[in-house]
């Protein structure tokens, strides 16, 4: 059997609450060993090595914790006795962590991120089965060179495109209109597609050692939103993600502020607040090409990529190429 390392970070999968209840619980309270012990069939799938890196609600994840997690995994995958990695994580910010790992891990070995919508103390907790299938996926030969993956409700997602779309159902994830990478039937893995965007070994950002990341903020446009939002963010951020209406749109008031701040060196990326949105170059809302199109990335994922891009360059054209490649 293969050896799979489970790196635990906390989240609902490690949560405790009133026995049987699925709400009003505290995330990140159970040790990873307790979770593993509740899934005896794991030992029939792989040899398990567990690492309790942290135990927090995913809303407490920070760029510093991303770096810590990425560094831990990069160290583990260098070992000959580790064949794959499973990361347990809270669902609220899992999409951001998965994308950061997808860009910064330097390995072809399978890395799978999973979690739960119900705490471990709930009736029909979903965490144990998700973790079981995540280990099965990480131990499967076809999972190599797939980049970082997410596993929820028997569905395999790419780390780039996974996003939480529901906050009360156990089947809480999707990846827009792209479909998923595949499905699982108990322990069996079935891949049907793959991502064509750069990741892991192909990623420029996976060969760098990070101690910190540049500050990038997110500005959400709404009817009547003041341009002062942008000027305020620009005081202590190198880049700003614009969460625009429609195709990444905003008012003329915002446009003038963007053009002004762009001249001062602030890097802007246009994204959409529409859940199925896609953003390209736009001659009306960005006539002087001050912004980089976020393409299909959600604002929070565009922030991850821009933070990493700014560790490499401040050249707007080069960063635009990154957004096309990744």
């Amino acid at each position: 059997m293969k050896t799979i390392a489970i790196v635990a970070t906390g989240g609902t999968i490690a949560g405790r609450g009133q026995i049987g209840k699925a709400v009003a619980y505290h995330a990140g309270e159970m040790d990873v060993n307790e979770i593993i012990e509740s899934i005896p069939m794991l030992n029939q799938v792989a040899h398990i090595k567990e690492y309790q890196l942290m135990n927090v609600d995913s809303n407490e994840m920070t760029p510093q914790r991303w770096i810590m997690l990425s560094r831990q995994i990069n160290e583990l995958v260098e070992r000959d006795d580790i064949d794959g990695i499973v990361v347990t994580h809270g669902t609220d910010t899992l999409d951001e962590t998965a994308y950061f790992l997808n860009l910064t891990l330097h390995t072809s070995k399978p890395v799978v991120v999973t979690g739960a919508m119900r705490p471990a103390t709930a009736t029909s907790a979903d965490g144990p089965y998700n973790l079981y299938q995540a280990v099965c996926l990480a131990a499967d030969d076809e999972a190599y060179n797939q980049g970082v993956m997410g596993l929820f409700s028997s569905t395999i997602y790419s780390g780039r495109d996974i996003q939480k779309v529901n906050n009360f159902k156990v089947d809480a994830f999707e990846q827009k209109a792209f479909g998923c990478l595949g499905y699982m039937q108990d322990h069996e893995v079935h891949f049907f597609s793959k991502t064509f965007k750069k990741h892991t070994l192909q990623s420029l950002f996976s060969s760098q050692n990070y101690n910190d990341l540049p500050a990038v903020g997110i500005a959400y446009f709404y009817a009547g939103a003041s341009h002062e939002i942008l000027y305020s963010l620009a005081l202590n951020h190198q880049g700003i993600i614009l969460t625009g209406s429609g195709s990444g749109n905003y008012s003329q008031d915002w446009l003038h502020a963007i053009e002004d701040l762009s001249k001062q060196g602030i890097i802007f990326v246009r994204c959409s607040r529409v859940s199925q949105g896609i953003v390209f170059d736009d001659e009306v809302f960005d006539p002087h090409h001050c912004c980089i199109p976020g393409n299909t990335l959600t604002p929070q994922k565009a922030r991850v990529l821009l933070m990493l891009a700014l560790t490499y360059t401040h050249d707007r054209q080069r960063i635009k190429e990154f957004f096309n490649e990744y």
Side-chain angles (χ1 to χ4, degrees), residues 147-166:
V148 173
M149 296 166 284
L151 188 286
F152 278 87
S153 299
S154 301
T155 309
I156 307 167
Y157 301 99
S158 75
R160 180 191 187 274
D161 298 313
I162 187 172
Q163 64 180 94
K164 188 174 182 177
V165 296
N166 195 289

Side-chain angles (χ1 to χ4, degrees), residues 89-155:
H89 195 287
T91 59
D92 282 353
T93 64
L94 180 144
D95 59 338
E96 297 171 70
T97 299
Y99 191 42
F100 182 80
L101 295 177
N102 200 48
L103 296 173
T104 60
L105 296 183
H106 197 72
T107 184
S108 61
K109 293 180 180 179
V111 178
V112 185
V113 186
T114 193
M117 289 296 292
R118 296 172 179 163
T121 49
T123 300
S124 299
D126 56 321
Y129 194 61
N130 283 341
L131 182 55
Y132 169 70
Q133 288 197 318
V135 170
C136 293
L137 176 58
D140 193 273
D141 288 339
E142 288 191 42
Y144 279 75
N145 293 304
Q146 297 282 0
V148 173
M149 296 166 284
L151 188 286
F152 278 87
S153 299
S154 301
T155 309

Side-chain angles (χ1 to χ4, degrees), residues 172-294:
F173 288 85
E174 66 173 37
Q175 52 180 53
K176 294 191 175 182
F178 306 126
C180 59
L181 297 183
Y183 299 96
M184 296 192 66
Q185 186 175 41
D186 288 332
H187 66 283
E188 296 178 356
V189 178
H190 301 277
F191 280 104
F192 292 97
S193 63
K194 66 188 305 179
T195 179
F196 289 93
K197 295 297 185 179
K198 290 182 178 179
H199 57 73
T200 53
L201 289 178
Q202 305 164 335
S203 172
L204 172 72
F205 311 109
S206 70
S207 58
Q208 298 189 42
N209 186 32
Y210 302 97
N211 293 313
D212 201 0
L213 294 173
V216 173
I218 299 178
Y220 194 99
F221 178 77
Y222 51 90
S226 171
H227 67 271
E228 292 299 331
I229 295 170
L230 303 177
Y231 282 103
S232 179
L233 279 174
L235 292 175
N236 52 12
H237 292 85
Q238 296 183 36
I240 298 175
I241 307 300
L242 303 166
T243 306
S245 60
S247 299
N249 307 333
Y250 35 73
S251 66
Q252 289 293 301
D253 190 37
W254 268 40
L255 173 59
H256 296 149
I258 290 164
E259 291 177 342
D260 181 33
L261 289 169
S262 181
K263 293 174 184 176
Q264 299 178 37
I266 301 297
I267 302 296
F268 287 96
V269 175
R270 291 173 57 243
C271 292
S272 175
R273 69 186 196 184
V274 179
S275 61
Q276 297 291 330
I278 183 170
V279 177
F280 298 113
D281 282 319
D282 193 304
E283 296 296 329
V284 174
F285 288 94
D286 186 29
H288 296 105
H289 304 287
C290 297
C291 301
I292 296 161

Side-chain angles (χ1 to χ4, degrees), residues 7-167:
V7 181
T9 69
T12 297
I13 193 172
R16 292 186 196 275
Q18 186 178 343
I19 299 299
K21 299 291 186 180
V23 296
Y25 59 88
H26 294 283
E29 291 204 343
M30 291 181 66
D31 184 87
V32 64
N33 290 305
E34 293 183 73
I35 304 171
I36 292 172
E37 287 172 4
S38 71
I39 318 170
M41 61 273 207
L42 275 183
N43 294 321
Q44 301 171 20
V45 176
H47 299 295
I48 303 297
K49 292 182 181 292
E50 61 277 355
Y51 300 86
Q52 187 75 58
L53 184 64
M54 61 190 83
N55 208 358
V56 298
D57 185 300
S58 70
N59 292 294
E60 302 300 328
M61 290 300 287
T62 62
Q64 289 70 35
R65 283 177 165 153
W66 288 340
I67 291 169
M68 184 190 312
L69 177 59
S70 178
R71 186 174 293 147
Q72 171 76 86
I73 296 173
N74 272 324
E75 290 175 359
L76 288 172
V77 294
E78 287 295 315
R79 291 169 42 176
D80 293 335
D81 63 332
I82 299 292
D83 298 300
I85 305 288
V86 170
V87 179
T88 59
H89 195 287
T91 59
D92 282 353
T93 64
L94 180 144
D95 59 338
E96 297 171 70
T97 299
Y99 191 42
F100 182 80
L101 295 177
N102 200 48
L103 296 173
T104 60
L105 296 183
H106 197 72
T107 184
S108 61
K109 293 180 180 179
V111 178
V112 185
V113 186
T114 193
M117 289 296 292
R118 296 172 179 163
T121 49
T123 300
S124 299
D126 56 321
Y129 194 61
N130 283 341
L131 182 55
Y132 169 70
Q133 288 197 318
V135 170
C136 293
L137 176 58
D140 193 273
D141 288 339
E142 288 191 42
Y144 279 75
N145 293 304
Q146 297 282 0
V148 173
M149 296 166 284
L151 188 286
F152 278 87
S153 299
S154 301
T155 309
I156 307 167
Y157 301 99
S158 75
R160 180 191 187 274
D161 298 313
I162 187 172
Q163 64 180 94
K164 188 174 182 177
V165 296
N166 195 289
N167 64 3

